[in-house]
Amino acid sequence: IYAAIDIWEMRRIIANSEELNILIERAGTAADIRYNVAAMNANGRAYLIYRDPKYKDAFRQNYEANKKILTDLYQKARRQENKEAARRMIEAQDAYYNFVQQEVFTRLEQGKFEEAAQVALQNGLPLARALNQVVDEYASKRKNELLEVKTHLPHPQVR
């Protein structure tokens, strides 16, 4: 009888560990998305302040890296709510990126430094906040899922 219980317990542990691995991967993806968004924000501000093209290039690279992650996330989503979350992040990131490229960076390249700063503050900051909000919501959901599964994992028992 102990052997049957042990086999059943092992199957349950394996199933839980597979689910846990998926959730850990999702949490890691959420962390990568957050990192790229923070780096985009920092590089956009740095280009605005220093006007060094390396920051503009880094801004684009962070965007492209995140675009790939978000597109993969959208395509791999098993549930509609996760697909919708990925879509919202893609849309918010695209809106922010396109605005900064077209409205802020263009003005900087035209030598309109104060105008670029004002446009970035008035119109870019709300877009950045909207992007951060949808990313934070996604990351928080992934963290909560991971914590929920972790609390339900069986603890090994010593006999």
Side-chain angles (χ1 to χ4, degrees):
I1 217 161
Y2 286 119
I5 292 172
D6 285 345
I7 291 171
W8 177 79
E9 186 71 17
M10 286 302 292
R11 286 183 180 158
R12 197 171 68 126
I13 289 170
I14 290 169
N16 284 337
S17 68
E18 288 172 358
E19 180 67 18
L20 186 60
N21 285 338
I22 291 169
L23 294 175
I24 289 169
E25 182 181 332
R26 286 182 187 162
T29 298
D32 291 343
I33 293 167
R34 273 183 141 162
Y35 170 83
N36 283 323
V37 167
M40 277 179 62
N41 290 332
N43 286 311
R45 284 191 305 270
Y47 185 60
L48 181 63
I49 294 167
Y50 303 113
R51 295 183 285 283
D52 186 330
K54 73 180 179 185
Y55 297 115
K56 182 180 178 184
D57 292 340
F59 178 82
R60 181 187 47 77
Q61 290 168 358
N62 294 126
Y63 167 78
E64 289 174 357
N66 232 23
K67 184 75 167 183
K68 181 180 179 339
I69 292 169
L70 293 170
T71 301
D72 288 348
L73 186 65
Y74 180 83
Q75 292 171 345
K76 291 178 182 178
R78 296 181 292 179
R79 295 190 317 240
Q80 186 59 35
E81 68 181 284
N82 291 336
K83 200 175 262 303
E84 180 65 21
R87 185 193 59 75
R88 283 193 312 272
M89 288 187 287
I90 290 168
E91 288 176 357
Q93 179 176 270
D94 286 349
Y96 174 65
Y97 177 80
N98 291 331
F99 175 82
V100 171
Q101 287 286 349
Q102 295 167 5
E103 302 297 330
V104 179
F105 289 175
T106 300
R107 283 177 171 81
L108 287 174
E109 291 158 5
Q110 295 169 347
K112 301 176 182 176
F113 307 122
E114 289 196 23
E115 189 178 320
Q118 187 158 3
V119 166
L121 184 60
Q122 289 177 347
N123 302 97
L125 185 57
L127 290 172
R129 285 183 177 152
L131 173 57
N132 286 324
Q133 181 179 347
V134 295
V135 169
D136 287 347
E137 287 169 4
Y138 178 78
S140 177
K141 183 173 182 176
R142 299 288 76 91
K143 177 183 172 186
N144 290 339
E145 285 178 345
L146 187 59
L147 291 173
E148 185 178 316
V149 168
K150 186 178 174 185
T151 60
H152 292 99
L153 285 177
H155 298 292
Q157 296 179 358
V158 179
R159 291 185 197 172

